[in-house]
Amino acid sequence: MRLLQRHLCMIAMSLAALSSAQAAPLVEPTLHIKPAASGAGHVALTLDACGGQTDTRILSALVENKIPATIFVTGIWLKRNAAAVEIMRAHRDLFELENHGGRHIPAVDTPRKIYGIRSAGSPDAVLAEVESGAAALARTGEPAPKWFRGATAEYSPSAIAMIRKLGFKIAGFSINGDGGSLLGAKETAKRIAAAKDGDVIIAHINQPTHAAGEGVVQGLLALKDKGMTFVRLDDADGTGNHGTTD
């Protein structure tokens, strides 16, 4: 009986520890770049290519208006969008491609769902997501990525530490431009147009049927009309919280 009680106690403790780990708060890191030394200021535009196709409204506007951007690509998106990748590679002065993971799985090392997406769930799975994303980029002939942004842009603190040990900086943001590409064109344009010197904008370039894409273009052109310039993350001095860049 005593042995059984001890066994049951150990099971209860294990379940409690697992529950505590699952309940540990996630973090959504911010990122700012050093303000411009002169002029109207500058911002860093970052666009996630999670899966699906390419929003050519955004891609064409970036090329036509010579707006630099950092594109976070998944292995899934790379397989489906060879033509868009070639356009980006043809304009290396504008685009840098960075790591958004192999399969668009949140970099959280305990089992849970974030915005309905199942997390990696273990340290090994987090590492696999990050490393497979880098490998997918390497297969295209792109330079080794320096930045990582996980699916949903939320992380467990322990996952952040693991990703940093792999040598990646983690890209937070200061302005959520399109609400995961779910906002309307008007609200998206308003959010992006409100960017200030040093802001890092996040939006999406993989949802060509969403109204948000139109708003991304409108917001960026409004910033350009104000005299704001754009920089890629590799060309800026970015500082994030939660140990994401230091």
Side-chain angles (χ1 to χ4, degrees), residues 25-42:
L26 303 182
V27 296
E28 185 180 88
T30 61
L31 180 67
H32 289 84
I33 58 174
K34 187 176 180 180
S38 60
H42 64 194

Side-chain angles (χ1 to χ4, degrees), residues 103-124:
R103 298 166 52 208
H104 199 248
I105 298 173
V108 174
D109 54 8
T110 54
R112 66 177 77 193
K113 285 188 176 180
I114 303 98
Y115 302 117
I117 303 176
R118 193 177 299 278
S119 69
S122 71
D124 285 346

